[in-house]
Amino acid sequence: MKQLLRLLKPLLKFNYSHPYWVVSVCIILAVLSGYYALQLKVDTDIANLLPEDHPNVLALEKLSESVGGETEMLVVINSPSFEANKAFADTLIQRSLDLYYPRYEDTFFKRAEFRRETEFVKNNALYLASENELEEVTQYLEDEIQQAKEEANPFYFDLGDEEEEETAGAENFEDSYNMLVPSEYPVNEDSTIMVVRFFPTGSKSDIKYLEDMFDEYDSLLASMNPQAYHPEMEVRFGGRLKRHLEELTSIMNDVLGSFASGISSVILLVMLYFFFKKYIHYRKGTNGNGSYSVWSHILRMPVPVLIIGVPLLISLTWTFGITYFYLGILNTMTSVLFVILFGLGIDYGIHYYARYIELRSLGMNAHDAVMKTNEKTGEAILVSAFTTAAALYILMFADFRGFSEFGFISGTGILLSLMAMLYILPALLVIFDERLNWILISDEQKEEYTGVHRYPYARTIVTVGLVASAFVIGFSGNLRFQYDFGELEPTFPEYEEFRSFAGQVDDNSKRNPAYIIAETNEQVEEIAGILKERMDSDTTSPTIKSVETLQERYPIHEAQEQQKLQKIAEIRELFKDPFLVEQEDEDLEKLRMAAQTTEPVSLDSIPNYLKSRFITKDGEVGRFVIIYPSVGLGDGKKSIAFKNDVSVVTLDSGKEFHAASTSIVAASMLDLMRTESPYMVGATFIFIYFFMLFSFRSFRWSIIAMLPLLVGLLWLFGLMMIFGLQFNFYNLVVLPAILGIGEDSGVHLAHRYREEGKNSMWQVLSSTGQHITMGSITTMLGFAGLLFTNHPGLQSIGVMAVLGIGMTLLTSITFLPALIQWLEDKDWIRF
């Protein structure tokens, strides 16, 4: 590191000689970078955290190209009058579809779903039944005939077993029929609540479109005056689409809020710390008789913030300008990195500025103080920043984009902050100190403190620290991972109320399907058969509720059409049996109507509500296999289990097909992150150690400098177990970052101690100890802003970071000094 600093010394000299040029050019570059940084948008879809070439991601893209990824907007109409609701809905649909959006030169909505043409299906339901369902209907009718014959026998005695079998058959028929022939309108049980679905023309990622759409819809509903249709009519609109906009708005507000609270608290802390530090040095240097009053020092309190803050803001704008060109977008986890990097980057400025003030207070001129600070503190800053950045860059090797993008942005931000503090901050020191005299320093020459003061209770502190660490290791099995997605998402009362309100109209219990797209109809049949076999064989932890294909219901070829018509004709013959002709039964009457088909049914005549799931954008019958889960996919474990059951289907030919759905992709993301995180943490830890070994060129000192990090990490795990905190796919991202940040304190203390020599630990703590405490606290404040967000996942990042950095700081100012003092007493310290 010394060689690197010597190599860059001409740059430092140029900055000292031409400070105004350096600062001006850097600010101009920052303005240009800032322009592009402001173009960054936030993608809140956690499913996009998988690599783009992941099989399930590619399958989802293929599905979107074939079917389209439609997220509907729901409108719920409520009044005591069904006719009033229907009249309002008919008018609303027409006016909604006419809403024009000039920005797109198109309408806001492309289609609506409301009335379902069920009459046609009632008369042709058996033509749309699967082969198994036709067999069940045939068996059901034959059983009815047999039962009627037996009951006609005067010696008949009912044993009850057959009745249970008949009931089961009737229920199977009822389920299939209700799926094919739902109610004509989507209403609740008493027909007082009605739902209309609208499908937007724009993408849910276009925030401007969503904002304009919802504003326009507010105006439309107000102009229609629902009470004119019925005095008690209430109309609400929303759904997942509106929640998506609310979540994005909430995250942006959280980012701005945490930015304001975190940065303002950091600025205030830095101002107060350097005010007292500099004023105490000034009073000591002048013996209380300085020419500048306290008021002069108070007026200059913002100077340290400007000297440290300007280079930091410049580096941050550079970082996010580069991010715009490299990534083009932020995700939920990286959206808060501006605040985090502010707290991280200011650490290096605090170390540099504090050491400069100390050297100036010892009587050095500005030039010598800059050069000496760069030589001594610069080396520790270089080691710390390179280690932290490299530890973060390791995350880029992860397939999980939550890791890789976090690692790229934060690693780049650390390096640019380092360069700004080493080569822009000195230029500002020259301007404010030498040129403007805004940094008040006593000119009297003073000597450094050379007394000896042992660190007290060294052996006791080391023993307690090691025992506590051993306990944590012993109980580490109690650490848990949070699998419930719902616990990590923000809650929006308005959305929950709307969902509960709209949920009263629930005409389909099948949700969150996964799709597999085949290439031929034969492959569709084979894939469906494999999945049904899995569904039937899994009796311990089933995750598949049903497997459906249109090919199974709608005959494609003429031979299939004739075969199905023949089967329906056989069922009609069964109804001619004398024992069924006279029977009056609701289920039998439905079947009589459903068996009227005598000619092939064209695809165009089938209602959209029934075939829309199976039809491509081009209007053709898609070769889709649709798999419905039997478990709630909000639970990460169940979601992963469903993914494992349906994600990959391998045919006899060896060809593989992958399932597609956002839930499958999210489960794959969670599974990948869970698999990769131990390797990322382990690789980070190993890299930090070897970097320490390279920096100190001593096995002993590399171990000493690493111990605060290791012990602090164990203490963090201990706190998590005590307070019941869990790992999740948000806070695991920051764990490798904590490793990189946590070693910072140990590096600075070890470097300064080696510089000062034996019996200097107390002196090192009174100087560098203050700096690392300030640096860690400012970093914690950068993360602390996340504690007050509405997003539980972002909150967990804040909690993990604050506790982790706090524990590594605590071990650095207690365990590490005690360890060095104890080793020094044993004469085990070597330089």
Side-chain angles (χ1 to χ4, degrees):
M1 293 302 167
K2 287 183 174 153
Q3 289 84 347
L4 181 59
L5 287 172
R6 290 195 194 102
L7 183 66
L8 295 174
K9 197 168 185 180
L11 176 61
L12 182 64
K13 290 181 177 179
F14 178 84
N15 292 0
Y16 180 85
S17 303
H18 306 86
Y20 290 105
W21 274 104
V22 171
V23 173
S24 300
V25 170
C26 290
I27 289 177
I28 291 172
L29 291 175
V31 171
L32 291 174
S33 299
Y35 169 78
Y36 291 104
L38 292 173
Q39 310 304 313
L40 286 168
K41 305 297 182 185
V42 179
D43 181 6
T44 61
D45 189 352
I46 62 172
N48 290 336
L49 296 177
L50 276 178
E52 295 178 355
D53 60 351
H54 190 280
N56 293 123
V57 173
L58 295 176
L60 186 61
E61 290 176 356
K62 185 177 179 181
L63 176 67
S64 180
E65 291 172 2
S66 177
V67 181
E70 297 182 329
T71 303
E72 73 265 20
M73 183 188 78
L74 304 182
V75 178
V76 184
I77 308 165
N78 177 27
S79 84
S81 170
F82 170 82
E83 294 301 328
N85 292 347
K86 179 178 175 300
F88 181 86
D90 290 336
T91 306
L92 178 67
I93 290 171
Q94 186 58 50
R95 293 190 59 176
S96 297
L97 295 179
D98 290 340
L99 284 177
Y100 185 73
Y101 190 36
R103 183 164 159 258
Y104 279 4
E105 297 183 355
D106 198 355
T107 55
F108 275 103
F109 304 101
K110 54 187 172 184
R111 67 184 182 91
E113 283 188 3
F114 179 48
R115 183 172 179 267
R116 294 177 287 218
E117 300 288 345
T118 58
E119 197 62 34
F120 175 85
V121 182
K122 288 179 181 178
N123 295 327
N124 297 275
L126 291 188
Y127 190 83
L128 299 173
S130 67
E131 185 176 338
N132 287 339
E133 288 168 348
L134 289 175
E135 292 292 339
E136 288 180 357
V137 169
T138 301
Q139 186 63 47
Y140 170 66
L141 292 177
E142 289 175 350
D143 289 343
E144 285 290 311
I145 293 170
Q146 183 63 30
Q147 178 72 11
K149 288 180 178 179
E150 291 177 354
E151 290 178 356
N153 187 337
F155 300 102
Y156 170 74
F157 182 73
D158 186 8
L159 297 175
D161 294 339
E162 293 182 2
E163 183 179 347
E164 292 181 5
E165 294 177 3
E166 291 173 8
T167 303
E171 288 177 353
N172 290 338
F173 161 71
E174 190 71 23
D175 289 341
S176 300
Y177 187 86
N178 289 340
M179 187 276 293
L180 291 170
V181 190
S183 61
E184 184 177 6
Y185 294 96
V187 294
N188 64 341
E189 289 185 1
D190 59 5
S191 299
T192 58
I193 299 178
M194 185 174 288
V195 172
V196 184
R197 288 176 168 81
F198 291 96
F199 294 86
T201 53
S203 167
K204 71 174 184 178
S205 61
D206 188 342
I207 304 306
K208 174 66 174 170
Y209 165 78
L210 293 182
E211 291 175 340
D212 292 343
M213 182 183 74
F214 290 129
D215 288 342
E216 190 74 18
Y217 218 77
D218 265 327
S219 302
L220 173 64
L221 291 179
S223 68
M224 288 186 64
N225 187 21
Q227 285 71 35
Y229 290 79
H230 192 282
E232 300 179 32
M233 182 173 289
E234 178 187 10
V235 180
R236 304 184 194 179
F237 69 96
R240 297 288 303 181
L241 204 59
K242 197 169 187 180
R243 187 193 183 283
H244 172 73
L245 179 61
E246 289 177 349
E247 182 177 5
L248 186 62
T249 305
S250 174
I251 289 176
M252 297 308 297
N253 291 336
D254 286 341
V255 170
L256 293 175
S258 61
F259 174 80
S261 61
I263 289 181
S264 59
S265 56
V266 168
I267 290 173
L268 181 61
L269 182 63
V270 170
M271 285 175 58
L272 292 174
Y273 172 70
F274 282 112
F275 166 74
F276 287 112
K277 183 178 182 68
K278 193 157 60 65
Y279 183 67
I280 289 170
H281 278 297
Y282 183 80
R283 292 281 294 175
K284 286 181 179 179
T286 60
N287 295 319
N289 298 316
S291 56
Y292 293 98
S293 64
V294 176
W295 181 245
S296 299
H297 286 271
I298 292 175
L299 288 176
R300 289 166 172 79
M301 282 180 67
V303 170
V305 174
L306 291 173
I307 293 175
I308 299 173
V310 169
L312 179 57
L313 290 176
I314 288 174
S315 70
L316 291 177
T317 56
W318 291 350
T319 300
F320 287 95
I322 292 172
T323 300
Y324 173 80
F325 288 103
Y326 183 71
L327 296 175
I329 200 166
L330 299 173
N331 58 55
T332 307
M333 299 173 185
T334 58
S335 64
V336 295
L337 271 177
F338 190 94
V339 182
I340 293 172
L341 285 173
F342 189 94
L344 282 172
I346 203 171
D347 186 10
Y348 309 124
I350 288 172
H351 282 288
Y352 199 105
Y353 184 77
R355 190 67 184 274
Y356 175 83
I357 292 299
E358 289 179 0
L359 294 174
R360 289 283 283 121
S361 298
L362 292 172
M364 282 190 186
N365 59 40
H367 176 272
D368 293 343
V370 166
M371 296 302 168
K372 184 77 170 177
T373 301
N374 191 75
E375 177 187 349
K376 297 298 182 183
T377 303
E379 182 181 1
I381 291 175
L382 269 177
V383 173
S384 171
F386 278 10
T387 309
T388 303
L392 292 166
Y393 275 139
I394 287 175
L395 298 178
M396 291 182 63
F397 292 98
D399 288 330
F400 176 52
R401 290 169 64 183
F403 279 151
S404 59
E405 293 179 7
F406 189 97
F408 169 77
I409 299 174
S410 53
T412 302
I414 292 295
L415 290 182
L416 292 177
S417 296
L418 168 70
M419 296 304 296
M421 295 308 175
L422 287 181
Y423 298 104
I424 301 177
L425 189 147
L428 290 168
L429 284 173
V430 174
I431 293 172
F432 282 97
D433 189 8
E434 199 172 64
R435 306 289 174 90
L436 301 177
N437 193 31
W438 282 9
I439 302 178
L440 305 180
I441 303 292
S442 169
D443 293 329
E444 184 178 338
Q445 186 75 28
K446 294 172 287 298
E447 294 184 1
E448 293 189 72
Y449 173 78
T450 56
V452 176
H453 194 307
R454 291 185 74 260
Y455 191 86
Y457 309 110
R459 183 176 178 181
T460 302
I461 293 173
V462 171
T463 303
V464 171
L466 292 177
V467 170
S469 301
F471 267 103
V472 173
I473 294 173
F475 290 95
S476 59
N478 293 322
L479 289 170
R480 294 289 180 264
F481 187 88
Q482 174 61 268
Y483 284 97
D484 190 347
F485 288 110
E487 294 294 325
L488 300 174
E489 292 185 353
T491 56
F492 300 99
E494 183 180 348
Y495 168 73
E496 295 299 330
E497 183 183 355
F498 177 84
R499 188 175 70 164
S500 176
F501 185 58
Q504 298 178 67
V505 181
D506 186 8
D507 55 353
N508 189 1
S509 61
K510 297 179 179 180
R511 303 180 186 278
N512 302 317
Y515 288 73
I516 294 180
I517 302 179
E519 297 170 355
T520 65
N521 290 327
E522 290 73 18
Q523 289 175 346
V524 170
E525 184 178 351
E526 188 175 356
I527 292 170
I530 292 172
L531 289 170
K532 288 180 178 179
E533 184 178 345
R534 291 181 188 176
M535 178 178 67
D536 295 336
S537 63
D538 189 356
T539 57
T540 55
S541 56
T543 63
I544 303 174
K545 182 173 185 176
S546 65
V547 179
E548 297 184 9
T549 68
L550 185 59
Q551 285 79 357
E552 187 180 27
R553 296 187 175 280
Y554 184 79
I556 304 296
H557 305 297
E558 183 177 352
Q560 294 175 333
E561 292 174 345
Q562 295 305 317
Q563 183 180 357
K564 179 163 278 192
L565 290 173
Q566 177 63 34
K567 191 69 177 176
I568 295 173
E570 292 173 3
I571 291 175
R572 282 199 301 271
E573 287 299 317
L574 289 175
F575 277 112
K576 295 178 181 179
D577 189 284
F579 287 94
L580 287 184
V581 171
E582 301 299 328
Q583 282 197 34
E584 294 184 3
D585 180 88
E586 184 179 351
D587 288 342
L588 290 177
E589 190 59 36
K590 287 179 181 179
L591 280 175
R592 285 191 181 96
M593 291 183 64
Q596 295 182 33
T597 314
T598 57
E599 298 291 335
V601 174
S602 67
L603 185 63
D604 292 337
S605 61
I606 299 176
N608 283 331
Y609 81 85
L610 195 58
K611 68 181 180 182
S612 59
R613 295 174 299 155
F614 302 97
I615 303 301
T616 66
K617 287 180 178 179
D618 301 328
E620 299 178 354
V621 177
R623 298 182 178 94
F624 306 142
V625 179
I626 304 179
I627 312 108
Y628 288 95
S630 61
V631 294
L633 301 185
D635 185 318
K637 285 185 177 179
K638 294 178 180 178
S639 181
I640 291 173
F642 178 65
K643 185 264 297 184
N644 291 339
D645 283 346
V646 306
S647 178
V648 182
V649 174
T650 304
L651 305 185
D652 292 339
S653 63
K655 191 172 183 62
E656 286 188 347
F657 290 90
H658 296 269
S661 77
T662 54
S663 298
I664 292 288
V665 172
S668 298
M669 177 272 299
L670 180 60
D671 204 18
L672 178 64
M673 181 274 302
R674 185 182 61 173
T675 302
E676 287 190 330
S677 55
Y679 295 105
M680 291 297 104
V681 173
T684 303
F685 203 92
I686 292 170
F687 181 86
I688 290 174
Y689 171 71
F690 280 108
F691 203 90
M692 291 288 183
L693 191 61
F694 170 78
S695 173
F696 287 104
R697 300 185 183 280
S698 165
F699 173 78
R700 183 172 302 186
W701 276 104
S702 61
I703 293 292
I704 291 173
M706 282 285 290
L707 273 175
L709 175 60
L710 179 59
V711 175
L713 198 63
L714 289 174
W715 290 4
L716 165 64
F717 296 159
L719 287 179
M720 291 180 66
M721 287 187 283
I722 291 172
F723 293 105
L725 303 176
Q726 296 181 338
F727 293 112
N728 59 59
F729 64 84
Y730 283 98
N731 61 30
L732 266 182
V733 173
V734 83
L735 192 56
I738 293 174
L739 294 178
I741 298 163
E743 54 76 39
D744 181 46
S745 301
V747 168
H748 281 286
L749 282 173
H751 266 283
R752 185 65 183 274
Y753 175 77
R754 282 159 59 91
E755 177 188 331
E756 300 295 338
K758 284 189 177 182
N759 300 316
S760 63
M761 180 48 70
W762 192 262
Q763 178 189 349
V764 169
L765 280 177
S766 64
S767 173
T768 303
Q770 291 181 16
H771 308 162
I772 66 170
T773 301
M774 274 297 299
S776 295
I777 291 175
T778 54
T779 303
M780 290 164 67
L781 287 174
F783 281 100
L786 301 178
L787 299 176
F788 305 102
T789 64
N790 294 319
H791 197 295
L794 297 182
Q795 286 179 8
S796 70
I797 292 178
V799 171
M800 178 74 79
V802 169
L803 290 179
I805 297 169
M807 289 300 99
T808 55
L809 171 63
L810 180 61
T811 55
S812 295
I813 59 177
T814 58
F815 184 83
L816 178 62
L819 177 65
I820 290 177
Q821 184 66 66
W822 182 60
L823 293 176
E824 190 178 279
D825 293 341
K826 295 282 189 180
D827 198 28
W828 287 355
I829 290 289
R830 297 288 184 272
F831 293 92

